[in-house]
Amino acid sequence: MILDKFRLDGKVAIVTGSNTGLGQGFCVALAEAGAKVLGVGRRDSEDTLAKIGKEKFDYMIADLSDPHCAKDIIGAALERYGSVDILVNNAGIIKRNDSLVFSEKDWDEVMNVNLKSLFFLSQAAANAMVAQGRGGKIINVASLLSFQGGIRVPSYTSSKSAVKGLTMTLANEWAKYNIQVNAIAPGYMVTNNTEALRNDPDRSKAILERIPAGRWGTPEDIMGAGVFLASAASDYVTGFTIAVDGGWLGR
Ligand code: NAP
């Protein structure tokens, strides 16, 4: 039955940035589909734990500004749940400033979390998946700025454009191990990431008017794509970045 292919029973997922926003949405969705989920964040994920319950969810503290935490994260998932089948690289930060004065600090901080840690965590997860010998799923969170330039966000656009490219190269290399690597490019979603935009009446109005769906997205909106890309339903889909954007990119 086709709906059975979307089930994640017996699978173990790691989701970074699990305390809030889209990351919390991914945790809830994967757990509802049957997976056991290890959340990762630089602060506690008690709110997510309360939504899911301790049978399907646990979390650990790790700061992804340091890519060296990758091995500890995979080790924790193996120790707590015995395998790693799904990795969602969701954690990300954004820094806004004019490119004429954008600082090296803001460049490095964004690149380290959004790109460098994403790569080394994917590498550590893929090594575990190869050792397990039954494939796996890696889902990277990209952005509309994987496709477009944006304004005053040079490190963010650079990191998210790189995530789209990296998704393709990892998909090419790891297809032979039955590991599918895809990305989700969320549109404008109501989370902490977009608080500054939503508080700016001019930018907020201009964005809303351009979204064909006529509304901002929510963490619930990414759940379907998340479960699809984490499940056997997407076994012949790899290297692709799926927009969940209310039609923004098609306009
Ligand atoms: P968010 O609410 O700001 O969530 C970002 C998550 O990443 C939080 O859990 C955050 O933890 C975590 N994080 C940041 N730096 C970290 C670090 N050094 N170590 C560990 N965790 C860290 O925003 P969101 O919208 O849900 O963002 C999720 C992903 O979607 C990001 O990759 C973002 O770029 C992407 N995205 C969002 C939108 C949108 O419209 N919202 C659009 C396109 C792409 P803290 O709570 O501790 O900061």
Side-chain angles (χ1 to χ4, degrees):
M1 289 285 285
I2 182 59
L3 287 181
D4 294 336
K5 290 209 160 198
F6 289 82
R7 297 285 328 167
L8 300 176
D9 302 288
K11 303 290 184 190
V12 174
I14 297 171
V15 178
T16 65
S18 53
N19 58 313
T20 184
L22 303 186
Q24 185 174 75
F26 283 117
C27 291
V28 170
L30 300 183
E32 283 184 0
K36 288 199 159 68
V37 181
L38 177 67
V40 179
R42 57 186 167 176
R43 67 183 96 195
D44 74 65
S45 288
E46 286 294 324
D47 190 44
T48 308
L49 180 61
K51 284 183 192 297
I52 299 174
K54 61 178 188 304
E55 247 181 50
K56 290 277 181 63
F57 184 79
D58 196 4
Y59 68 84
M60 67 178 285
I61 305 290
D63 185 345
L64 291 161
S65 57
D66 178 3
H68 291 102
C69 63
K71 287 201 172 106
D72 289 346
I73 294 169
I74 301 305
L78 292 174
E79 194 185 304
R80 290 181 205 194
Y81 293 134
S83 68
V84 179
D85 305 292
I86 299 156
L87 168 65
V88 184
N89 282 307
N90 163 81
I93 54 173
I94 189 163
K95 301 277 179 181
R96 300 172 200 277
N97 206 350
D98 293 345
S99 291
L100 283 175
V101 294
F102 204 83
S103 69
E104 186 176 352
K105 181 171 173 283
D106 283 355
W107 179 272
D108 288 343
E109 278 181 20
V110 170
M111 284 300 195
N112 281 344
V113 176
N114 294 14
L115 184 61
K116 191 168 180 181
S117 284
L118 176 148
F119 172 70
F120 284 104
L121 192 51
S122 299
Q123 181 189 62
N127 274 302
M129 290 168 184
V130 170
Q132 288 163 191
R134 54 168 193 273
K137 302 279 183 180
I138 297 177
I139 303 168
N140 297 322
V141 177
S143 167
L144 296 180
L145 301 190
S146 305
F147 298 87
Q148 302 179 318
I151 301 165
R152 303 180 72 246
V153 284
S155 56
Y156 187 80
T157 299
S158 300
S159 69
K160 295 296 186 177
S161 299
V163 164
K164 178 168 169 283
L166 182 62
T167 297
M168 292 188 281
T169 199
L170 298 182
N172 292 339
E173 280 192 51
W174 297 340
K176 63 174 174 284
Y177 302 113
N178 192 26
I179 299 170
Q180 287 80 46
V181 188
N182 291 289
I184 292 174
Y188 286 90
M189 319 296 272
V190 179
T191 67
N192 300 336
N193 173 292
T194 53
E195 199 176 355
L197 279 183
R198 284 179 287 113
N199 289 340
D200 176 334
D202 294 337
R203 288 280 282 134
S204 169
K205 183 167 177 286
I207 287 167
L208 192 57
E209 282 172 357
R210 198 195 174 284
I211 302 172
R215 65 173 178 87
W216 287 65
T218 67
E220 265 194 66
D221 286 311
I222 48 88
M223 289 183 176
V227 170
F228 170 61
L229 292 179
S231 72
S234 62
D235 277 356
Y236 201 57
V237 179
T238 198
F240 200 69
T241 298
I242 296 178
V244 179
D245 66 350
W248 176 281
L249 283 179
R251 184 150 177 176

